[in-house]
Amino acid sequence: MASRLVSSLLSRSLPRPIGKSSCLKGVVCSYGTAASIEEPITPPVKVNYSKLLINGQFMDSASGKTFPTVDPRTGDVIANVAEGDAEDINRAVSAARKAFDEGPWPRMTAYERSKVLLRFADLVEQHNDELAALETWDNGKPYEQAATTEVPMFVRLFRYYAGWADKIHGLTVPADGPHHVQILHEPIGVAGQIIPWNFPLLMFAWKVGPALACGNTIVLKTAEKTPLSALHVAKLLHEAGLPEGVLNVISGYGHTAGVALASHMDVDKLAFTGSTATGKIVLDLAAKSNLKPVTLELGGKSPFIVCKDADVDEAVELAHFALFFNQGQCCCAGSRTYVHESVYDEFVAKAKARAMRRSVGDPFRKNVEQGPQIDSVQFEKILGYIRSGIQSGATLETGGERLGSTGYYISPTVFSNVKDDMLIAKEEIFGPVQSILKFKDLEEVIRQANATQYGLAAGVFTRDIDTANTLMRALRVGTVFINCFDVFDAAIPFGGYKMSGHGREKGIYSLSNYLQVKAAVTPLKNPAWL
C-alpha cells in the first residue's frame, strides 16, 4: 500500500502555463524570478510534547536548557524543546538498562510484544492527520505527502514488525559427534539510535520497529531540527502498553547528546542515519568506547539512467520525482540524471518544462509539491552548490533562485551539460537541483555511475530486459529501481555500498541488527540418532 501511495504522488502532475508570471495569489507558485510565497497557513495542530522522555516520564533536561525548533516556512520558533546532553543520555541509558535487565519487555512472550506494537499502529492511524500536520510544520514537507504517504507507511512498518515479533527463532544444527547444538537469537540489549531530520517519523519506524520486535530497549536521539513528531508518537507507544524505560527519547545536539550516546559504555548497539562525514565520527566513537556494533545509513549520489529506448515523457516525470521528492532532501535522490545522447536534448527541454511547472508554496496548501528547505544552513548550502554549478560551466536551464522573501524556498533547478568532475555531480546537494549528464553507451554509463564514493541507490529507465539486467548487476549500489523509484515497502531492505554505510534497514535483514547469535552445546548420552 505504501508504495502505491508514493506512486500516487509521482503520477500527480499539475498542468500550469509556463511563463514569467508564476505566482497564483492565495494558492501556490510555480517558480519564477518574481515569485513570492503567500502568507503561511496556521497549522491545525498544537505542540503537546517538548520535554525529554525518560523512563516513561516527560521531564526537563538536567541542565534546564532548551533550544528552539523552527518553522521552515517563516524561520519563526514553533516551540522550545528540552536540550538533552550527556547527563540526560546517562539517565536514559540507565533507564533502558534497568528495563532490559529487570523489566518485563524482553521477558514477555513475543506474541504479547506483537500486540503492543499492533495497538500502537492503530493509535497512530487514529492520529494520522495530527501527526502529519506536526511533521509538516516542523519539517516543511507537503502535508499531502505526510498525511497520505508517510504516516500510513509508518503504520505499515510497525504492523510489519509486529508480525515478525513471534517469528524470530533459532536453529538446531548437527555436530560431528554426540552433542546437541542450539543456535539462539537473543535481543542485543540497549540500542542507541540517532535519526535524521528529513524523514523523522519514517526513520523512527525503521529503527524502533525492529529493535522492539526483537525485545530490546532503546535510547533514541532525535534530530535537533525536527524533534516534535518522535516525542508525540513515543507518547502513543506508551499508551499502547509499552513498559517504562523501554523507549527513551532525547532531543539535543549531535556534539553533546549524540556524542554521549555513541560513546556510552553501557549501550550495546548503535544505529545512525545521516551524513557520511558524521557517520565516520559515530563509528569512531563506538569503536573507541566499547566496540559496539554500528549500523550506518549514510549519504548518496544516486545515478538515474535514461536509456535510448525510453519513453522520454515517462522518463522525465520519473526522473523529476526521483530528484525533487521531499524538496530533494532524500539520501537516495536520483541526483545524477544520465541520459543517452540520442534523446538528451529532448529530455533536457522537457525536464526544464516540468521543473517550471512544479508547484512550490506553503506545504499546508492543497496541491503543493514542494515546500521550503529545512533551515537556513541547508538553504545556503544548496544555493552555494547552484553557484558552483554555474561557475564550473554547467548550463542553468531553470531555477537557481530563492522564492519569496521569508522562509527557505528555492526554485526547482535544472542543470544541463554537467560533467562528472563538477561538484554538483560529485557531492550530495540534498536539495531541489537536478544535474543532467550525457552518455553514449552502457559501458560508459556504468563506469560513470560507479565512479563515486557512494553506493546507496540507482534508477534505470529502459524497455529492454537485457539492458535492465546488465545494469542491475553492474551498478554497485544497495537498491536498483527499474522503471520506478522510491518504492519503500516495509519488506524491502535498504542500505548502501561503499561510503553510503553498512547494514540494512527494513525487511528481514534489519532484525539481525538487533539480535545476538549464541551457540549452546550439550553432550548427548546414548543418542538414538545424530
Side-chain angles (χ1 to χ4, degrees):
M1 178 181 180
S3 63
R4 292 197 297 271
L5 290 168
V6 171
S7 297
S8 73
L9 287 175
L10 167 59
S11 64
R12 187 186 72 241
S13 177
L14 301 177
R16 298 203 183 281
I18 300 171
K20 293 182 180 179
S21 179
S22 58
C23 192
L24 303 181
K25 185 176 181 181
V27 189
V28 293
C29 298
S30 297
Y31 99 85
T33 57
S36 61
I37 302 299
E38 65 279 6
E39 285 297 312
I41 291 174
T42 301
V45 66
K46 294 182 179 179
V47 176
N48 294 319
Y49 308 105
S50 59
K51 296 184 178 182
L52 311 179
L53 180 63
I54 299 176
N55 203 31
Q57 303 297 319
F58 284 104
M59 60 184 67
D60 293 326
S61 62
S63 67
K65 292 181 180 179
T66 63
F67 66 93
T69 185
V70 172
D71 183 347
R73 301 175 304 157
T74 62
D76 295 338
V77 175
I78 299 171
N80 289 301
V81 181
E83 182 184 332
D85 58 21
E87 179 55 32
D88 301 296
I89 291 293
N90 287 336
R91 291 193 292 167
V93 172
S94 294
R97 174 57 60 195
K98 184 175 181 180
F100 185 78
D101 290 346
E102 304 174 20
W105 186 250
R107 290 160 186 80
M108 69 172 61
T109 66
Y111 179 55
E112 289 300 317
R113 287 200 300 270
S114 173
K115 290 196 292 184
V116 171
L117 298 182
L118 288 172
R119 285 196 297 269
F120 171 55
D122 291 344
L123 282 171
V124 171
E125 195 167 51
Q126 294 166 23
H127 289 80
N128 184 95
D129 294 351
E130 181 182 12
L131 289 167
L134 195 62
E135 194 83 329
T136 293
W137 194 10
D138 207 18
N139 175 275
K141 65 180 66 216
Y143 173 78
E144 183 180 0
Q145 174 184 321
T148 65
T149 300
E150 294 187 17
V151 179
M153 276 184 170
F154 182 102
V155 172
R156 176 67 180 94
L157 282 157
F158 269 94
R159 287 176 177 156
Y160 175 83
Y161 285 113
W164 266 115
D166 61 356
K167 298 169 188 66
I168 298 168
H169 54 77
L171 300 168
T172 58
V173 297
D176 293 337
H179 292 89
H180 177 69
V181 181
Q182 301 176 72
I183 309 300
L184 305 177
H185 291 165
E186 300 180 346
I188 201 166
V190 176
Q193 301 179 329
I194 303 174
I195 60 175
W197 50 259
N198 56 335
F199 293 99
L201 280 174
L202 286 179
M203 295 302 100
F204 180 104
W206 285 22
K207 288 180 170 53
V208 173
L212 291 183
C214 293
N216 297 282
T217 60
I218 299 167
V219 177
L220 176 85
K221 193 200 87 68
T222 60
E224 62 270 19
K225 298 178 182 182
T226 53
L228 298 179
S229 58
L231 291 168
H232 199 114
V233 293
K235 173 64 175 176
L236 295 179
L237 189 45
H238 283 81
E239 289 181 18
L242 190 73
E244 293 180 352
V246 174
L247 173 64
N248 306 272
V249 180
I250 304 297
S251 49
Y253 293 100
H255 65 276
T256 51
V259 167
L261 184 59
S263 59
H264 204 287
M265 294 296 292
D266 207 20
V267 170
D268 300 305
K269 188 267 181 305
L270 196 65
F272 170 81
T273 296
S275 71
T276 296
T278 305
K280 290 181 178 181
I281 296 171
V282 168
L283 191 62
D284 185 58
L285 291 169
K288 288 181 177 177
S289 52
N290 59 345
L291 207 62
K292 61 181 73 66
V294 182
T295 304
L296 298 172
E297 195 267 280
L298 306 176
K301 193 68 178 174
S302 300
F304 185 96
I305 301 170
V306 179
C307 298
K308 62 183 178 181
D309 64 338
D311 180 305
V312 174
D313 290 333
E314 291 181 4
V316 164
E317 186 63 33
L318 189 61
H320 180 88
F321 173 76
L323 185 282
F324 290 101
F325 176 63
N326 206 51
Q327 292 72 249
Q329 297 169 157
C330 187
C331 55
C332 65
S335 53
R336 291 183 294 151
T337 307
Y338 288 99
V339 180
H340 191 270
E341 60 185 8
S342 64
V343 295
Y344 185 85
D345 291 342
E346 179 186 1
F347 184 97
V348 169
K350 291 181 175 180
K352 173 183 176 179
R354 178 63 180 93
M356 294 181 72
R357 292 196 306 272
R358 186 168 184 81
S359 53
V360 183
D362 187 323
F364 281 105
R365 293 193 183 276
K366 186 176 176 60
N367 292 332
V368 163
E369 295 177 285
Q370 181 177 315
Q373 308 308 130
I374 185 66
D375 65 3
S376 60
V377 174
Q378 186 65 18
F379 176 81
E380 293 296 341
K381 175 185 174 185
I382 295 165
L383 292 178
Y385 275 114
I386 291 171
R387 290 191 294 270
S388 169
I390 295 169
Q391 293 166 2
S392 61
T395 302
L396 178 63
E397 296 287 344
T398 187
E401 299 174 327
R402 176 178 191 157
L403 282 178
S405 57
T406 60
Y408 309 119
Y409 296 89
I410 294 177
S411 56
T413 301
V414 176
F415 280 104
S416 64
N417 298 313
V418 178
K419 306 301 180 185
D420 289 301
D421 60 353
M422 295 179 181
L423 283 183
I424 59 172
K426 294 169 59 178
E427 298 185 4
E428 189 175 33
I429 299 173
F430 230 60
V433 181
Q434 184 178 31
S435 298
I436 307 177
L437 303 91
K438 185 184 296 185
F439 73 93
K440 62 182 179 180
D441 55 38
L442 288 185
E443 182 179 347
E444 180 184 51
V445 79
I446 290 169
R447 184 173 63 253
Q448 289 175 296
N450 286 334
T452 174
Q453 64 179 337
Y454 299 113
L456 194 54
V460 173
F461 202 87
T462 180
R463 301 177 188 179
D464 189 296
I465 188 64
D466 292 329
T467 298
N469 283 333
T470 295
L471 290 170
M472 179 199 314
R473 286 161 172 75
L475 296 171
R476 300 194 63 237
V477 297
T479 303
V480 179
F481 297 107
I482 299 173
N483 297 332
C484 62
F485 209 86
D486 283 350
V487 178
F488 289 134
D489 279 35
I492 301 175
F494 185 80
Y497 288 22
K498 299 186 281 187
M499 292 177 71
S500 288
H502 49 72
R504 292 295 181 269
E505 296 193 292
K506 300 193 292 105
I508 188 174
Y509 295 96
S510 65
L511 299 174
S512 62
N513 298 331
Y514 297 99
L515 293 169
Q516 286 280 24
V517 178
K518 176 184 289 182
V521 183
T522 56
L524 295 171
K525 293 187 178 181
N526 303 315
W529 54 270
L530 289 175

